[in-house]
């Protein structure tokens, strides 16, 4: 049992650190998105000289907001109808929750496999239209895979979070609730 | 075979699988059972492509602008302004609550933000004046649904994107319905206060003097300018809705940081993070909905559903009544955003084929599902109002019934009088 709790604590600590880094990246993405669109507004409407890159750069950053989605998943912020789970007897409801978590994991694992083949495959090799990065030989157009990797990374992080949630659920059903590591800021982060 | 993915989806949803996973699992399982494993990659691609959209960026920006406006003094200024205008009416503070919700709706597109921002301030104030807590919480919850109806509105942006409509047209179409809901709530409040004989209602307040009104207007000037900038910018052709939303963020930041000083630079990471977290969930939902939409069209489910609906009646008036009932029931269990994402692609084309204007149908759906946010047993704002006020959900759910009655009446008005929704966008040439 100590091994189980130890594993869960280790995974929770790993996820905690990973999600914290994701949240800071999300904050940065959000701030830069606003800045880039304001740059676009200024150049287009005030200077009448539209720039080619702000829109694509802002979309790039919006896609990378995916790195904060696992935080929402961990805090119970994914919209769901949980009436039946709550209404059922404790063990039955718990088993249903566990089943749903396993199904979520299946969806995420399949998505991660497809995501990997997409990022490393043909469509990832295309270039973005207006984004460049510096190399020793000058500026290179950014590959589309850098944008596409956002969803893949978000999904892989969600796989790790879902495994933690599954272990937690097993712990709850085994009566170890008081020994489980606490998830900070568990709240409702809904779409509304 | 593939047509079975819809019942499977509903089953997964009802047993509690998060909407995002259900949107992918149901079509995924059916494609797999149908021997179309290769098409699973389409689900992934459409999810990604569905999120990779410039118009969708308005959602994180409006959330961010609302979050900034929420911090500190801006809500207070709107309440003071409402107080100066309607504070002397019968059940004055309840009327202030409703008018504040209407004004707040012009800054934020969210009913939850409205309930938590106004509720935390007005529910204790109303209790202090002698209103019952359940009545105060019910008024707050009922009026908060105006948030996503009056522009800007998160759900209208989602609807416009998923259904390929103009965001500006939907924003404009929401103005009159939003005002109607607000006015209806004010009338009901007045009737309740009169019938009650003043037992649970405090005495009338004195009317604000003109200098007091002027001062309150001046203090609310900057917050109230936000909807003018957003709508004016879009309608004047100056900005796209996404650009207008970024300008709204910049304006909210300048007003909150430097003019009203209601927020400090230290608060910024937290504000940005809150908007980022909510936006990431919405983006995933919209992406998954776009993937779901592809399988919806592959499965011929809309044709089967349309045939079933048309077998019930061919009369659009009766069908609209049935669809309102369906939406109302769904709204009781599911948030407006996900419900629009799921139902829009299925129901929209059926009614457009029957001759209902797409913008009109968008408003019927949005208002109906938004009112669902305040209906028992699962209305999200009821739970928020309960946590803000400390009152039990069941008591708020009972106290909210008269307000829901008028909201349902407004839904019927909107349904059967298309001009309520279409006059304003028509006037501005969006139809």
């Amino acid at each position: 049992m100590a091994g189980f709790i130890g594993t869960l604590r280790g995974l929770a600590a790993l996820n905690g650190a990973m999600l914290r880094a994701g949240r800071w990246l999300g904050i940065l993405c959000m701030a830069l998105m606003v800045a880039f669109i304001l740059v676009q507004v200024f150049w287009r409407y005030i200077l009448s000289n539209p720039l080619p890159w702000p829109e694509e750069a802002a979309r790039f950053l919006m896609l990378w907001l995916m790195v904060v989605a696992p935080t929402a998943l961990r805090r119970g912020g994914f919209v769901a109808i949980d009436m039946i789970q709550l209404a059922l007897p404790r063990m039955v409801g718990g088993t249903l929750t566990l089943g749903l978590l396993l199904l979520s994991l299946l969806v995420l694992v399949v998505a991660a496999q497809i995501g990997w083949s997409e990022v490393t495959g043909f469509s990832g090799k295309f270039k973005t239209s207006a984004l460049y990065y510096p190399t020793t030989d000058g500026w290179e157009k950014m590959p589309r895979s850098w944008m596409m990797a956002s969803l893949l990374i978000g999904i892989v992080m969600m796989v790790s979070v879902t495994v933690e949630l599954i272990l937690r659920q097993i712990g709850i059903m085994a009566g170890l609730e008081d020994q489980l590591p606490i998830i900070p800021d568990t709240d409702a982060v809904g779409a509304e | 075979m593939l047509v079975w993915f819809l019942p499977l989806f509903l089953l997964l949803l009802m047993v509690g699988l998060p909407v995002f996973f259900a949107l992918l699992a149901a079509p995924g399982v059916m494609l797999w059972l149908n021997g179309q494993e290769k098409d699973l990659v389409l689900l992934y691609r459409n999810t990604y492509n569905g999120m990779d959209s410039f118009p969708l960026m308005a959602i994180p920006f409006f959330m961010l602008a609302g979050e900034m406006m929420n911090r500190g003094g801006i809500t207070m200024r709107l309440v003071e302004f409402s107080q100066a205008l309607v504070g002397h009416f019968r059940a004055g503070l309840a009327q202030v609550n409703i008018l504040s919700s209407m004004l707040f709706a012009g800054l934020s597109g969210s009913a939850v933000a409205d309930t938590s921002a106004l509720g935390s301030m007005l529910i204790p104030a109303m209790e202090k004046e002698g209103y019952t807590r359940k009545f105060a919480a019910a008024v707050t919850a009922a009026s908060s649904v105006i948030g996503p109806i009056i522009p800007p509105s998160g759900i209208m942006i989602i609807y416009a994107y998923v259904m390929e409509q103009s965001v500006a047209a939907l924003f404009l179409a929401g103005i009159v319905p939003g005002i109607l809901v607000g006015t209806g709530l004010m009338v009901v409040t007045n009737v309740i206060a009169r019938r009650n004989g003043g037992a649970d209602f405090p005495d009338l307040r004195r009317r604000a003097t003109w200098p007091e009104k002027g001062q309150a207007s001046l203090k609310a000037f900057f917050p109230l300018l936000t909807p003018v900038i957003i709508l004016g910018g879009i309608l004047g052709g100056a900005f796209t809705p996404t650009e207008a939303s970024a300008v709204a963020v910049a304006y909210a930041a300048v007003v909150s940081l430097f003019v009203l000083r209601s927020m400090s630079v230290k608060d910024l990471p937290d504000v940005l993070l809150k908007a980022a977290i909510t936006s990431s969930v919405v983006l995933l939902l919209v992406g998954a909905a776009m993937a779901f939409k592809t399988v919806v069209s592959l499965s011929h489910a809309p044709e089967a559903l349309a045939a079933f609906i048309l077998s019930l009646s061919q009369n659009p008036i009766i069908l609209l009544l049935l669809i309102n009932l369906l939406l109302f029931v769904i709204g009781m269990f599911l948030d407006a955003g996900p419900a629009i994402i799921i139902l829009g692609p299925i129901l929209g084309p059926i009614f457009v084929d029957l001759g209902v204007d797409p913008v009109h149908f968008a408003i019927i759906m949005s208002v109906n599902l938004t009112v669902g946010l305040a209906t028992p047993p699962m209305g999200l704002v009821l739970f928020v109002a309960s946590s803000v006020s400390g009152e039990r959900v069941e008591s708020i759910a009972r106290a909210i019934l008269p307000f829901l009655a008028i909201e349902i009446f407004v839904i019927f008005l909107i349904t059967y009088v298309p001009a309520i929704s279409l006059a304003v966008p028509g006037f501005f040439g969006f139809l």
Side-chain angles (χ1 to χ4, degrees), chain A residues 46-57:
Chain A
I46 311 286
L47 304 182
S48 298
N49 178 24
L51 295 170
W53 58 268
E55 184 175 322
E56 195 172 26

Side-chain angles (χ1 to χ4, degrees), chain B residues 13 24-25 64 170 192 201 217 272 294-295 390:
Chain B
L13 212 58
L24 295 175
L64 185 55
L170 295 195
I192 294 175
F201 293 87
S217 311
L272 287 164
T294 318
V295 185

Side-chain angles (χ1 to χ4, degrees), chain B residues 92-398:
Chain B
L93 214 44
Q95 308 284 16
V96 168
N97 194 330
I98 297 164
L99 183 62
S100 300
S101 281
M102 292 165 77
L103 298 175
F104 197 83
L107 311 178
S108 131
S110 151
V112 171
D114 186 316
T115 311
S116 54
L118 290 171
S120 52
M121 183 183 303
L122 281 171
I123 295 173
M126 285 176 75
E127 261 193 282
K128 209 170 150 192
E129 275 212 356
Y131 293 87
T132 60
R133 189 187 289 179
K134 62 181 178 190
F135 178 80
V139 171
T140 308
S143 61
S144 71
V145 303
I146 303 168
I149 304 175
I150 289 182
S153 158
I155 59 169
M156 301 268 189
I157 297 169
I158 294 174
Y159 190 98
Y161 177 60
V162 176
M163 300 300 292
E164 292 160 16
Q165 294 294 319
S166 147
V167 175
L170 295 195
F171 273 11
L172 289 172
I175 295 174
V176 180
I179 293 171
L180 264 182
V181 172
T183 315
L185 291 175
M186 289 177 110
V187 171
V188 168
T189 304
N190 188 288
V191 171
I192 294 175
R194 276 177 198 277
R195 279 207 175 166
N196 197 287
D200 285 334
F201 293 87
D203 294 337
L204 294 182
R205 288 158 160 254
R206 72 169 176 82
R207 186 186 285 268
T209 61
W210 281 108
E212 282 169 342
K213 281 181 186 166
Q215 205 176 17
S217 311
L218 214 59
K219 282 173 87 176
F221 176 76
F222 285 111
L224 288 177
L225 208 56
T226 316
V228 179
I229 292 174
I230 296 170
L231 278 183
I234 297 173
L235 296 179
F239 316 124
T240 63
T242 308
E243 289 166 347
S245 62
V247 171
V249 171
Y251 179 75
V254 169
V255 169
S256 312
L257 286 171
F258 305 114
V259 181
L260 305 181
R261 295 175 193 276
S262 54
M263 192 175 75
S264 78
V265 177
K266 269 193 281 180
D267 296 325
L268 273 179
D270 190 38
V271 170
L272 287 164
L273 179 63
K274 271 195 171 169
I277 290 180
T278 318
S279 305
S280 68
V281 177
V282 176
L283 282 176
L284 277 175
L285 274 175
V286 174
M290 297 308 270
F292 185 84
K293 199 176 140 182
T294 318
V295 185
V296 167
S297 45
L298 277 178
S299 69
H300 305 291
E303 288 90 331
L305 199 68
F308 170 71
I309 289 176
L310 292 173
S311 72
L312 298 174
S313 168
Q314 299 264 347
N315 184 342
I317 292 176
I318 294 171
L319 288 177
L320 280 171
L321 174 72
L322 292 175
I323 223 66
N324 267 325
L325 287 173
L326 174 76
L327 291 173
F328 193 72
V329 172
I330 287 173
M332 287 178 182
F333 297 95
L334 203 59
D335 286 357
I340 278 179
I341 286 171
I342 298 160
L343 293 173
I346 299 172
L347 298 177
I350 298 172
F351 281 85
V352 171
D353 282 350
L354 281 169
V356 179
D357 189 281
V359 172
H360 182 208
F361 189 71
I363 297 299
I364 295 173
M365 253 190 113
S366 304
V367 176
N368 199 324
L369 290 169
T370 307
V371 169
L373 290 172
T375 46
M378 290 297 291
L380 189 60
V381 296
L382 287 181
F383 289 90
V384 179
S386 164
S387 80
V388 170
S389 65
E391 183 65 58
R392 288 169 59 234
V393 173
E394 294 84 341
S395 344
I396 305 174
R398 266 193 299 275

